[in-house]
Amino acid sequence: DRERVAVGGHSYGAFMVGFYYRLPVAIALLAFNFVVQVVTVFTLSLYSPFFWVTSGAVSIILFVFGRFNRRDVRAHMVELRQDQEIESLAAIAERERIARDMHDLLGHSLSSIALKSELAEKLIDRGDQEQARDEINQVAELSRQVLSEVRMAVTGLKQQGLTGVMERLAKQLTEQGYTVEQHITPLALRPTVES
């Protein structure tokens, strides 16, 4: 009974040393573990070969198992970190693309609206009501056009399934005169990944 408790305690310590410490420190602590085992042999009068062989073999096996387990856990952590970095970079790239699209979409149109509004104001000050009315009508038309383009852009930004996006692209290509064949196998993806 005392032998089993001693073997279990030293073996558990060997696993923990293998798992938690870098190799040079782990080897030094494993050697210390063997020294403690020797002290345990003399303290508890466990002189049987069963204790020596079993304790040494189990300690080494669990130490090696701890090292492999440490490597697997670290590889998994690196993989998770890389996945998070990829998702973060994808989100940044998407935000930058949206910002560029909105700038391209709105920049020129809003500048035109501002200039035409200023022109209409100056025309009113000069008393040229007819031309001012024409400029204001152009501002209204341009505003409606920009609003429509923004709505289309926002609709395109909403999260859509991969199948829906592929169908929309196929429809656009068909309208352009291309022949499109779709061979889509549905995938079970998280919504952020699919988007």
Side-chain angles (χ1 to χ4, degrees):
D1 232 11
R2 289 183 307 168
E3 289 179 354
R4 280 193 215 121
V5 170
V7 169
H10 293 297
S11 302
Y12 177 74
F15 172 81
M16 298 304 284
V17 163
F19 184 80
Y20 282 107
Y21 295 98
R22 289 179 296 149
L23 189 59
V25 175
I27 289 174
L29 289 173
L30 182 64
F32 177 74
N33 188 7
F34 282 124
V35 169
V36 171
Q37 286 182 31
V38 170
V39 170
T40 303
V41 165
F42 289 109
T43 303
L44 299 178
S45 302
L46 301 172
Y47 300 116
S48 75
F50 169 79
F51 175 77
W52 283 94
V53 172
T54 305
S55 180
V58 170
S59 292
I60 290 172
I61 289 168
L62 287 178
F63 174 79
V64 171
F65 182 68
R67 295 306 299 171
F68 282 121
N69 206 346
R70 173 188 171 98
R71 187 194 66 198
D72 291 346
V73 167
R74 289 180 142 235
H76 182 68
M77 296 296 287
V78 166
E79 186 178 311
L80 283 177
R81 201 173 307 122
Q82 288 173 343
D83 287 348
Q84 289 171 347
E85 288 175 6
I86 288 170
E87 285 183 17
S88 175
L89 289 173
I92 290 169
E94 183 66 8
R95 279 194 294 270
E96 289 176 355
R97 184 191 67 77
I98 291 168
R100 277 193 313 273
D101 289 351
M102 288 297 136
H103 178 268
D104 292 346
L105 180 66
L106 297 175
H108 174 69
S109 298
L110 291 177
S111 297
S112 296
I113 289 171
L115 287 172
K116 286 186 172 293
S117 298
E118 289 172 9
L119 177 59
E121 183 181 11
K122 288 180 182 176
L123 290 170
I124 289 171
D125 289 345
R126 269 191 355 202
D128 193 351
Q129 304 296 329
E130 192 59 38
Q131 197 171 359
R133 184 175 291 121
D134 185 45
E135 291 297 328
I136 290 172
N137 287 337
Q138 288 180 27
V139 166
E141 178 59 34
L142 188 55
S143 298
R144 282 191 289 274
Q145 183 182 354
V146 169
L147 183 59
S148 173
E149 289 174 357
V150 167
R151 283 184 181 143
M152 284 176 35
V154 169
T155 301
L157 293 176
K158 290 180 183 173
Q159 284 192 354
Q160 297 178 339
L162 189 57
T163 305
V165 171
M166 294 300 290
E167 287 173 1
R168 190 181 81 234
L169 291 173
K171 181 180 175 186
Q172 290 173 352
L173 287 170
T174 303
E175 289 171 357
Q176 295 290 324
Y178 292 94
T179 303
V180 178
E181 289 182 25
Q182 295 185 61
H183 304 282
I184 301 172
T185 303
L187 298 173
L189 299 173
R190 294 190 324 260
T192 53
V193 172
E194 186 170 4
S195 180

